Amino acid sequence: SSSLHLGGSVVSDNQAGYGAGVAVLSGFGDASLTLVDSTIEDNVAEFSGGGLAINSLVDGDVIASSIEQSTIRNNLAGAGGGA
C-alpha cells in the first residue's frame, strides 16, 4: 500500500494529461490521501482530474481519502475539472 499526506501545501499552475494537481492511483494494493490545510488551484488536465484525480485501477483496491480545511478551486479538465 502507499499513502500521500499534504499539510500546509499549495499545489498550483500545473499541467498534465491526468491529475495535474494531485493524482492518487491504486493498482498495486490499497492507497490513501490526506489533505489538510492545503490549496489545490489553477491546474489543467487534458483528460480528467484537473485539480485532484483519485482512481482505483484494480477492482478491490481501496483508496481512503480525507480532505480537511482545504480549498480546491479554479482547476480545469476535459472531465472532472476540480476533483
Side-chain angles (χ1 to χ4, degrees), residues 37-83:
D37 295 321
S38 295
T39 300
I40 299 174
E41 65 183 351
D42 301 323
N43 299 289
V44 178
E46 181 179 357
F47 302 109
S48 64
L52 178 60
I54 300 173
N55 191 9
S56 175
L57 304 175
V58 176
D59 287 342
D61 281 357
V62 174
I63 300 176
S65 302
S66 174
I67 300 172
E68 302 173 17
Q69 299 178 343
S70 296
T71 302
I72 302 172
R73 65 177 172 215
N74 300 328
N75 298 288
L76 300 173

Side-chain angles (χ1 to χ4, degrees), residues 17-43:
Y18 178 83
V22 175
V24 179
L25 306 175
S26 174
F28 301 99
D30 298 341
S32 67
L33 166 68
T34 304
L35 185 66
V36 179
D37 295 321
S38 295
T39 300
I40 299 174
E41 65 183 351
D42 301 323
N43 299 289

